[in-house]
Amino acid sequence: MQHEKKQSSLLSSGISLSLLTLASRILGLVREQTKAIFLGTSAYADAFAFAFMIPNLCRRLFAENAVSVAFIPTFKKYLDASGSDEGKKEAREFVAAMCTIVSFMTSLVVIVGAIFTPFIVHLLYKSANADLLKETTLLTRIMFPYLVVISIAALFQGILNALKIFSPSGFTPILFNSIVIITTYLLAPHTANPARAMSIGVLLGGTVQALFQLPFVVKQGWFCPFAPLKSAFRNTGVKKVVSLIAPTIIGMAAYQLNDLVSSALAGRAGTGVLSSIQYSLRLQELILGVFAVSIGTIILPDLSGLAKKKQWDDFSQMLSSAIKIIALITIPISFYSFLTGKNIISLVYKSRRFDAESVSLTLSAFRFHIIGLFFIAANRIIAPAFYAQGNTKSPTLAGIFGFASNILEILKRRRSSVVLQKSY
């Protein structure tokens, strides 16, 4: 009976969060359609894609990684021990310390990043157009503070998810995408180019994501004032989070560097290549977000609890069921999308600025992205299973191996291209 109740709870939570995620991913697609309407696969579209990639990379590396890998499992332990007054006090001190450190560290990264943005852009985004480089630098600086607000939003999400409250966090991407869309339409006529309007929308959307979750955190009694910085770093729970996250940063950094290197190379391949990859990824993420991310988010607190109690049969059954559901959904979708990719891309994106050439560029990337759909989705389920057990080394090694494989393949292809050019 207890197992059936857990399965029923997982199913009901999954349906609720999946519906919210479906709405947010559809709006995410509308956001990309808005970009396609205003920017297409132009040089400004590439500039926006690159500028947004930098703060977004930092968000994935630090905010999401810290919450999923370290914060939720550690906070769950504090919740289990919060029955006494002393346990409740320690839990609140831990949350206050985490809020302090997240705010301080992300603000520091934003300040340093904003100062060195011109160097970063010149290093990674090669372009002969000096005005385009300046525009990319400006767009990056506009969106860099997004890292602070979205990291705080991620922490609030971690608190709510650990309490098994998923709906507020599931609704925030809907707000984010809506604000970016509305801001673009309102400000585009009044800015030098639509990319600036979208960048302002990204910053406003991230801010609203944090503010929207705040009342729910307050209602549960877990909003704590900032702690002194020195005591925050000395907090036992924070030290536990750091010990859990430190090994994964290497693996996550390898994965994110993989994305960064690929994007930098795409930016050098020609106008529109980088933005076409982003359009393709948005279609892929529509499927991933609705199913893989939702299931992975829901099962992490339960997996952490089962691992702590060493209930490995229930642990394995929950993980196996999640992977089977993912396979049942993603494999048929992959076949269908591969065969009808051109029609899907034309239907979703084609407009005056997004012409037949843009469709062709996006299709080239989409066919490769869709082939790997099941494996990427399965990874979104399997990785939390390792984190729930406190095993951060295996995902780390997988990330390093993936990065190394990509770099070797790039070097191999570049060598083949050089040899081919010499033969002519």
Side-chain angles (χ1 to χ4, degrees):
M1 288 292 293
Q2 187 176 5
H3 176 70
E4 289 178 358
K5 287 181 180 179
K6 286 183 179 180
Q7 292 291 347
S8 177
S9 176
L10 176 63
L11 181 61
S12 61
S13 298
I15 292 173
S16 175
L17 186 58
S18 291
L19 289 174
L20 287 172
T21 308
L22 175 61
S24 72
R25 295 295 170 166
I26 291 173
L27 279 171
L29 200 59
V30 175
R31 188 189 78 204
E32 289 300 297
Q33 288 177 321
T34 303
K35 187 171 79 172
I37 291 170
F38 282 95
L39 299 171
T41 51
S42 64
Y44 283 126
D46 287 347
F48 175 83
F50 183 84
F52 184 52
M53 179 184 63
I54 295 176
N56 207 35
L57 182 149
C58 294
R59 171 186 68 85
R60 291 174 179 172
L61 183 59
F62 297 109
E64 288 185 357
N65 189 36
V67 169
S68 62
V69 175
F71 177 78
I72 290 179
T74 305
F75 186 48
K76 283 285 290 183
K77 292 180 181 178
Y78 276 103
L79 287 176
D80 293 340
S82 62
S84 63
D85 291 339
E86 184 65 24
K88 181 79 171 181
K89 179 183 176 183
E90 290 179 355
R92 291 182 63 82
E93 288 176 352
F94 167 65
V95 172
M98 283 298 302
C99 288
T100 302
I101 289 175
V102 167
S103 302
F104 173 76
M105 294 301 295
T106 53
S107 298
L108 189 63
V109 170
V110 167
I111 293 170
V112 174
I115 293 171
F116 289 98
T117 293
F119 172 76
I120 297 171
V121 170
H122 281 78
L123 177 66
L124 298 174
Y125 189 60
K126 298 293 183 182
S127 175
N129 190 329
D131 291 336
L132 185 61
L133 289 175
K134 289 181 180 178
E135 186 65 27
T136 306
T137 299
L138 176 61
L139 296 176
T140 305
R141 282 175 167 167
I142 291 173
M143 288 187 282
F144 236 129
Y146 168 77
L147 173 62
V148 177
V149 292
I150 202 62
S151 297
I152 294 172
L155 186 62
F156 289 164
Q157 178 179 344
I159 293 172
L160 294 173
N161 287 358
L163 297 169
K164 296 187 178 181
I165 301 171
F166 301 104
S167 295
S169 302
F171 187 71
T172 54
I174 296 175
L175 292 173
F176 173 80
N177 289 318
S178 300
I179 289 170
V180 174
I181 294 165
I182 293 169
T183 304
T184 303
Y185 276 99
L186 290 178
L187 297 185
H190 308 290
T191 53
N193 59 74
R196 294 188 186 181
M198 289 200 77
S199 299
I200 295 170
V202 167
L203 181 57
L204 291 176
T207 303
V208 171
Q209 280 187 285
L211 293 176
F212 179 79
Q213 293 179 95
L214 179 58
F216 295 94
V217 176
V218 172
K219 183 179 179 181
Q220 297 299 318
W222 287 105
F223 179 71
C224 306
F226 288 126
L229 193 59
K230 185 180 291 187
S231 63
F233 277 103
R234 290 178 178 175
N235 185 273
T236 304
V238 170
K239 291 179 180 179
K240 178 64 175 176
V241 168
V242 172
S243 68
L244 287 172
I245 196 177
T248 68
I249 287 179
I250 300 172
M252 285 293 293
Y255 178 81
Q256 298 302 330
L257 283 173
N258 194 12
D259 190 24
L260 184 62
V261 169
S262 299
S263 298
L265 291 172
R268 301 179 187 184
T271 301
V273 175
L274 177 56
S275 55
S276 68
I277 291 175
Q278 298 301 315
Y279 289 124
S280 172
L281 284 172
R282 174 53 57 187
L283 288 174
Q284 183 194 66
E285 288 174 0
L286 175 65
I287 306 166
L288 286 175
V290 173
F291 301 108
V293 175
S294 298
I295 295 173
T297 300
I298 291 166
I299 67 173
L300 178 57
D302 287 327
L303 288 178
S304 298
L306 293 173
K308 182 183 177 183
K309 297 174 184 176
K310 299 188 183 299
Q311 297 177 355
W312 300 117
D313 289 339
D314 291 340
F315 183 98
S316 299
Q317 189 169 357
M318 178 176 286
L319 180 61
S320 177
S321 298
I323 294 175
K324 287 177 182 177
I325 292 171
I326 287 297
L328 183 65
I329 294 168
T330 57
I331 293 176
I333 290 177
S334 296
F335 277 103
Y336 176 80
S337 300
F338 185 85
L339 294 174
T340 62
K342 184 176 181 180
N343 294 330
I344 293 172
I345 293 167
S346 298
L347 177 65
V348 173
Y349 292 127
K350 197 169 184 181
S351 62
R352 183 176 60 84
R353 299 279 306 187
F354 200 96
D355 54 17
E357 183 181 353
S358 300
V359 172
S360 179
L361 277 173
T362 306
L363 180 61
S364 300
F366 181 69
R367 281 178 171 163
F368 285 100
H369 285 149
I370 207 66
I371 289 173
L373 181 65
F374 166 71
F375 303 100
I376 297 172
N379 183 62
R380 300 285 180 94
I381 304 298
I382 295 171
F386 283 101
Y387 300 146
Q389 299 175 69
N391 180 355
T392 58
K393 292 182 179 179
S394 296
T396 299
L397 293 174
I400 294 172
F401 179 76
F403 177 63
S405 300
N406 188 42
I407 294 299
L408 288 174
E409 182 64 23
I410 290 171
L411 293 175
K412 180 182 176 182
R413 288 183 178 273
R414 289 190 66 180
R415 184 178 178 183
S416 300
S417 177
V418 170
V419 171
L420 185 62
Q421 289 175 2
K422 287 182 178 179
S423 68
Y424 283 101

